[in-house]
Amino acid sequence: MEDFENNTMKVYDNNSIQGYKRYINYIFLIWRASEEEHDTWVSELNGLSTPIKFKTNKSLAEIDFLDLRIFKDNTSLATTLFQKPMDRNSILLDHLKNIFSNCPGEIEGEKNIANFSTPISDLQKKINEVFDKIQLIVPNATFTYLNRTTNGQKSKIFIASPRQKYCIGEEFVVQIDMYDHLGRRKEYGGDFIRARIFSDERKASVCGRVEDFNNGSYHVSFPLYWEGQVKVSAKLFHPSEGISALWRARHASLGVLGFEGKFVSRNQEATTKCGFKLNTDKEVCEYVDPDDENAFYCIKPEKLPCGSLHDMKSFDIHLSYLSKEEQQMFKRSNIGVEIPTHFKFIDVAIIQSKALSLLNDLKAKKGEAAKDGGWFDRFKKRSNLHNIKVQREAAAAETEAAESYPSDFAKIIEDRGYSMDHIFNVDENGLFWKKMPARTFIARQEKSMPGYKPAKDRITLLLGGNASEIYREKKRATLHTSIETYFSKSPSAHRSSSSTDSHFDPDHPHQLTVHSSSDITTQSCSFLIATIRQQESVSPLKSLICETEDTMETNSKPKCQTGMSLSFPSGYFLNDLWIPVYCNLTPYRNGEDYIRCLQGKKLFLIGDSTIRQFIMHFTEGNNIVKYFGYRGKGFSQWQNTLLALNMEKDIYVSFKRHGFPLESSMFYYFQEDMYTSRQIDMQGGGKDTIIMITMGQHFRQFPLHLFIKRAINIRRAIERLFLRSPDTKVIIKTENIREITNMVERLGDFHGYCQYLVLREVFKGLDVGFVDAWDMSVSSGIENVHPPGKLLENIMSLSFTFACL
């Protein structure tokens, strides 16, 4: 319509239009020529070969436009509310109140007066503020014909600064140059691109940050988090011309989904149309939440009251606001096109490999041969140095005591009546944190170096098993040892046998307390790591795990908790586990993990079918709770409210939909329908209450203003909840990407991406857990409205890490 106004209507405009305002497909104009000239102008427009046709209603005194009655007051314009007959008074929508704020100031030389009784609300101001921020990312690219739009297959990806090897922790950047279908370079940006890097063998992936230079070129930056061969994938989902068309189409109406309401009272029932606005002269029922400024309407049945609205369903109204030419951009073959790369992969190394690579590069530049040891070899030759082993301090070995020990020990066992179960062998394992080298360089004429005790500050761990081998296999999981941590500061002679005082309590056979003052004679880092990983009771020792690429980031990060600020990308996958970049996630792998989190708590799930998957996982997956009064499975009757309980563990889990609008081809019970903000207001909250919220998929078919309003109202409800119960846990889960279909105008991921940005904007700075399911699903490459398998497990793990500290 915008193109029609700019390119066509102006051609037929004979300067007779003094004032012009349009809201979606309704136009108000002030015509200063004759009525005959007006009719001729409309007839010429309707005679054009376009799908746009006009019906007119004109008056010299007053006219009804949307919810306004505009009338001529002497030589000025004034307005009042236009009310249809209905049960309750209509409420003027805020975004219509200023529709004429920029009308021409004079009519026939007099000043125009626009008098609105109600100023714009604070809520509407906030909605407009968020909307304007999102609109900044939308390109203004006019569609002419398909061949001039961006073509993914003809576009190119290359490495911005190619190198032989890259290091973990660095940033890898690729450049994308866009071309159209005719192979011509694009000169402007705005294309919708999704990019990620991945390694199938490592089950690893991460999203990229796209930077648009607005000249047809893009930089995509990827943080490197794992070692090995890394591949790049960048897909063009929609050209900039398509994004402009989708944005215009989404806001060209109040939605492309219709609704039917079923009214039931006693033995009577009737079905009528419902929606956010109804073009009808019939009496209308109004359903209003005045505090949150939400409203929808249904045509009132002749013999039934408005309060008898019992069920609701939706239907596709099969209305498109895209031209036939524009629709070509959204054929399946033009969506999600992989942009070809001119390289297969890059090699990513850990820091040591990178250092060696840099050394070899420097050697090559210096012209040093491979067999040449470099400057240090030449320095040793000039200085006449050689390398020897440092002699350690002399140790007095008690050989006689060692030889007699087996027989002496056997006699002690016999005399005191010990059984094999009571005899434990305990050894020490150490992890050095400061250690002097074992070799050094001295002058070649010197044959030896004086002995001394080298520093070897360390942490020790004592472990053992008994002689009967009862605890040989289970000792790592069940043997509890007291651990003496010390740092050696004074030299002491090594002993051939350790001086260890141990105590075994037959009443507590799983516990062995060991106190040792002996020095460490063996070091087994791998055994220490394996023991610590399996022996969960010794949690303080988890920090002893040797640093690898898997643990480089974890030790310095806090546990995931509410109120944390987000980055993008917010995390990455490695070995099918989501690793947030700003905190440590606790994996929830089985029912026992969830029971530990949820025991004694109430969990309220509010949203759509993607969060209903949580209660399905609890009831149909790991069976930690059982449905109450529901015998269905899967997504059958997914709109229904669900309740699941575990009486023994005192676990309460419920699911409720987020309220109108909801896409459902079958009637669902509507009288319990309630907006998310109202559901939050009904909760008392507390330390044993967890509320998880999501919304998105069902709002893609409506203007973005509606979604922004709901998000802001949810935030305000959460703020009210925190005032009365600040220790309540609230988790916000974003929507995820979904299957690629031809219904892009209704359900495309660009609409979802805009809503994702809204949630990041609205909920920033609030003490909630923010689960970035969009980032996780894009990183995984799984395009499914209901995340499956490992993706769902990771989304749930992050959600419950926030919920249960």
Side-chain angles (χ1 to χ4, degrees):
M1 185 65 191
E2 184 178 357
D3 293 339
F4 186 86
E5 289 173 325
N6 295 332
N7 301 323
T8 305
M9 292 181 69
K10 287 183 179 180
V11 176
Y12 290 86
D13 180 13
N14 55 7
N15 297 320
S16 299
I17 300 175
Q18 185 170 353
Y20 181 97
K21 286 291 178 180
R22 177 175 65 87
Y23 178 74
I24 306 176
N25 55 347
Y26 294 86
I27 298 174
F28 171 84
L29 60 86
I30 301 172
W31 185 267
R32 64 181 181 182
S34 67
E35 183 175 356
E36 182 178 355
E37 289 173 324
H38 169 268
D39 293 341
T40 301
W41 178 70
V42 173
S43 178
E44 289 175 344
L45 291 177
N46 287 336
L48 298 175
S49 58
T50 68
I52 300 176
K53 306 298 177 184
F54 296 91
K55 295 181 180 179
T56 62
N57 183 18
K58 51 187 180 292
S59 173
L60 296 175
E62 65 179 24
I63 195 167
D64 297 326
F65 180 72
L66 301 176
D67 290 334
L68 295 175
R69 175 158 289 167
I70 306 167
F71 58 95
K72 190 174 181 180
D73 184 13
N74 295 324
T75 58
S76 301
L77 286 182
T79 60
T80 185
L81 292 180
F82 168 57
Q83 296 177 309
K84 297 177 183 178
M86 57 181 63
D87 284 0
R88 300 174 58 191
N89 290 333
S90 174
I91 293 180
L92 181 63
L93 298 178
D94 288 325
H95 55 270
L96 300 179
K97 294 175 184 174
N98 287 341
I99 193 73
F100 299 106
S101 59
N102 296 317
C103 278
E106 296 184 3
I107 298 178
E108 301 293 329
E110 295 293 330
K111 189 175 181 180
N112 174 39
I113 298 175
N115 180 24
F116 296 96
S117 59
T118 305
I120 186 171
S121 68
D122 291 338
L123 174 59
Q124 189 61 44
K125 290 178 182 177
K126 182 63 177 177
I127 293 171
N128 294 341
E129 177 186 332
V130 176
F131 182 86
D132 291 343
K133 288 183 178 180
I134 305 302
Q135 194 171 23
L136 290 175
I137 71 169
V138 180
N140 184 19
T142 303
F143 175 84
T144 52
Y145 54 91
L146 183 64
N147 284 342
R148 289 192 175 179
T149 64
T150 313
N151 182 289
Q153 292 178 337
K154 293 185 180 295
S155 300
K156 302 174 182 178
I157 299 179
F158 57 90
I159 301 174
S161 299
R163 300 203 301 269
Q164 185 176 359
K165 276 194 178 292
Y166 298 83
C167 182
I168 292 175
E170 293 181 336
E171 196 167 70
F172 169 61
V173 181
V174 300
Q175 180 166 323
I176 305 178
D177 291 336
M178 292 302 196
Y179 293 79
D180 64 18
H181 288 258
L182 299 177
R184 295 178 299 191
R185 187 80 158 74
K186 292 295 291 287
E187 297 179 352
Y188 51 89
D191 302 301
F192 185 39
I193 302 168
R194 284 212 301 251
R196 68 187 190 109
I197 57 175
F198 63 97
S199 297
D200 290 332
E201 63 278 4
R202 303 300 305 273
K203 299 179 181 177
S205 57
V206 68
C207 286
R209 295 188 307 275
V210 180
E211 181 183 3
D212 188 349
F213 293 110
N214 296 311
N215 60 1
S217 291
Y218 302 80
H219 272 184
V220 186
S221 302
F222 303 97
L224 300 177
Y225 290 119
W226 65 89
E227 183 184 11
Q229 293 183 351
V230 174
K231 298 179 181 179
V232 176
S233 171
K235 293 182 179 181
L236 172 67
F237 273 78
H238 307 303
S240 53
E241 297 84 358
I243 295 301
S244 294
L246 288 175
W247 181 263
R248 186 198 71 240
R250 182 173 187 178
H251 300 94
S253 72
L254 292 180
V256 291
L257 196 66
F259 297 92
E260 287 185 354
K262 182 188 291 185
F263 294 78
V264 179
S265 180
R266 297 180 181 178
N267 296 326
Q268 293 182 315
E269 68 175 51
T271 300
T272 68
K273 288 187 177 181
C274 302
F276 291 107
K277 185 172 180 63
L278 300 173
N279 296 320
T280 180
D281 294 328
K282 297 180 180 179
E283 187 176 1
V284 175
C285 294
E286 181 188 44
Y287 303 93
V288 177
D289 183 338
D291 293 333
D292 286 354
E293 302 179 27
N294 287 316
F296 72 94
Y297 310 90
C298 292
I299 297 175
K300 185 180 182 301
E302 292 183 2
K303 298 181 181 180
L304 296 176
C306 291
S308 63
L309 179 59
H310 190 272
D311 302 295
M312 184 74 73
K313 76 172 183 177
S314 66
F315 61 90
D316 187 356
I317 58 178
H318 300 290
L319 182 63
S320 174
Y321 290 90
L322 300 172
S323 68
K324 291 183 178 180
E325 291 77 12
E326 288 175 330
Q327 290 175 10
Q328 297 178 62
M329 293 185 289
F330 306 110
K331 291 181 178 180
R332 178 60 187 89
S333 58
N334 292 329
I335 306 172
V337 177
E338 188 77 39
I339 303 173
T341 60
H342 295 274
F343 55 94
K344 292 183 178 180
F345 56 83
I346 63 168
D347 280 320
V348 180
I350 58 178
I351 190 68
Q352 294 91 338
S353 301
K354 181 65 177 179
L356 183 61
S357 174
L358 292 174
L359 175 62
N360 292 331
D361 291 343
L362 288 173
K363 283 184 176 182
K365 290 181 180 179
K366 295 285 186 181
E368 296 179 354
K371 63 179 180 180
D372 187 1
W375 69 269
F376 189 64
D377 278 353
R378 294 192 295 272
F379 172 78
K380 287 190 297 181
K381 291 177 181 178
R382 288 196 306 269
S383 303
N384 199 26
L385 299 176
H386 72 125
N387 184 273
I388 67 167
K389 184 176 182 180
V390 176
Q391 298 295 322
R392 300 187 67 184
E393 198 173 31
E398 301 179 7
T399 55
E400 294 182 1
E403 290 175 357
S404 64
Y405 183 76
S407 58
D408 294 342
F409 186 61
K411 188 173 185 304
I412 293 173
I413 295 173
E414 182 179 356
D415 292 345
R416 300 187 183 183
Y418 290 135
S419 72
M420 301 300 283
D421 293 342
H422 294 165
I423 302 171
F424 282 78
N425 179 35
V426 178
D427 201 357
E428 302 156 317
N429 286 271
L431 179 66
F432 289 105
W433 68 278
K434 184 191 296 183
K435 190 175 187 299
M436 294 292 290
R439 304 184 68 87
T440 189
F441 287 92
I442 64 173
R444 190 171 295 277
Q445 59 268 26
E446 300 289 341
K447 300 300 182 184
S448 64
M449 183 176 179
Y452 70 94
K453 171 107 175 178
K456 48 180 181 179
D457 299 351
R458 60 207 177 276
I459 299 172
T460 63
L461 176 65
L462 304 180
L463 298 171
N466 66 348
S468 64
E469 300 185 353
I470 292 177
Y471 301 106
R472 185 184 64 174
E473 298 299 329
K474 299 182 180 179
K475 62 183 179 182
R476 294 178 183 173
T478 60
L479 182 62
H480 296 181
T481 65
S482 67
I483 301 160
E484 181 182 355
T485 303
Y486 64 95
F487 303 101
S488 302
K489 293 185 178 179
S490 58
S492 60
H494 288 277
R495 288 177 282 271
S496 59
S497 61
S498 61
S499 173
T500 303
D501 177 21
S502 62
H503 171 69
F504 176 78
D505 186 353
D507 295 330
H508 300 85
H510 293 283
Q511 298 183 5
L512 173 69
T513 304
V514 182
H515 304 282
S516 173
S517 60
S518 66
D519 220 337
I520 294 178
T521 57
T522 60
Q523 296 81 37
S524 176
C525 185
S526 61
F527 174 73
L528 177 66
I529 294 170
T531 303
I532 293 170
R533 283 177 174 168
Q534 296 183 41
Q535 188 168 332
E536 296 179 353
S537 61
V538 195
S539 58
L541 291 180
K542 290 184 180 178
S543 61
L544 300 182
I545 299 175
C546 296
E547 294 260 331
T548 66
E549 64 181 43
D550 302 298
T551 59
M552 267 189 223
E553 301 290 335
T554 58
N555 291 338
S556 60
K557 295 185 298 185
K559 185 174 181 180
C560 299
Q561 52 192 308
T562 58
M564 287 183 159
S565 58
L566 282 179
S567 58
F568 186 88
S570 62
Y572 60 98
F573 283 102
L574 183 61
N575 297 321
D576 272 340
L577 177 65
W578 180 253
I579 303 177
V581 298
Y582 55 93
C583 63
N584 285 329
L585 173 145
T586 301
Y588 283 74
R589 295 189 172 94
N590 51 52
E592 293 181 358
D593 293 338
Y594 287 107
I595 288 175
R596 280 193 293 269
C597 170
L598 295 175
Q599 187 167 359
K601 292 183 173 66
K602 291 183 178 180
L603 171 63
F604 298 91
L605 304 171
I606 306 173
D608 53 32
S609 57
T610 63
I611 207 165
R612 188 184 190 269
Q613 287 182 274
F614 287 22
I615 196 170
M616 290 167 55
H617 188 71
F618 294 150
T619 54
E620 303 171 31
N622 51 36
N623 298 311
I624 66 168
V625 290
K626 293 183 179 180
Y627 284 129
F628 180 82
Y630 177 73
R631 294 178 175 82
K633 288 186 177 181
F635 290 102
S636 63
Q637 299 178 329
W638 76 264
Q639 312 90 340
N640 291 1
T641 297
L642 297 177
L643 175 62
L645 305 170
N646 183 328
M647 302 299 290
E648 180 184 354
K649 301 295 184 180
D650 191 20
I651 300 175
Y652 175 103
V653 183
S654 73
F655 162 78
K656 288 196 72 172
R657 57 186 179 270
H658 54 52
F660 191 81
L662 211 67
E663 183 178 4
S664 172
S665 59
M666 299 176 62
F667 277 113
Y668 61 92
Y669 183 55
F670 192 73
Q671 289 196 335
E672 65 180 7
D673 207 64
M674 190 180 299
Y675 296 120
T676 301
S677 54
R678 291 293 158 262
Q679 296 185 49
I680 297 171
D681 285 338
M682 293 182 66
Q683 296 298 330
K687 63 182 180 61
D688 294 327
T689 299
I690 304 169
I691 301 175
M692 295 188 178
I693 302 165
T694 193
M695 65 173 187
Q697 300 286 350
H698 294 262
F699 288 82
R700 294 187 178 191
Q701 304 175 80
F702 302 92
L704 189 60
H705 297 86
L706 174 65
F707 184 82
I708 298 173
K709 179 188 290 186
R710 294 294 173 83
I712 294 173
N713 284 332
I714 290 172
R715 179 185 173 113
R716 292 179 173 182
I718 293 172
E719 290 171 340
R720 294 191 293 268
L721 172 65
F722 285 161
L723 287 176
R724 61 183 182 270
S725 299
D727 49 358
T728 308
K729 295 295 183 183
V730 179
I731 316 300
I732 304 295
K733 182 185 79 69
T734 72
E735 63 186 291
N736 48 271
I737 61 176
R738 64 179 300 159
E739 301 86 350
I740 300 175
T741 69
N742 291 326
M743 297 185 293
V744 175
E745 185 178 357
R746 285 181 49 196
L747 301 171
D749 273 346
F750 174 70
H751 298 325
Y753 178 64
C754 292
Q755 294 174 172
Y756 162 69
L757 296 179
V758 168
L759 292 184
R760 288 181 66 102
E761 173 68 22
V762 169
F763 289 101
K764 66 182 180 182
L766 192 62
D767 189 21
V768 299
F770 196 86
V771 179
D772 198 336
W774 184 272
D775 186 13
M776 297 170 76
S777 57
V778 172
S779 177
S780 71
I782 297 175
E783 295 160 344
N784 193 326
V785 67
H786 297 120
K790 293 293 185 180
L791 178 56
L792 176 63
E793 290 178 11
N794 281 284
I795 291 174
M796 294 185 66
S797 288
L798 183 56
S799 301
F800 286 95
T801 301
F802 283 127
C804 302
L805 295 178

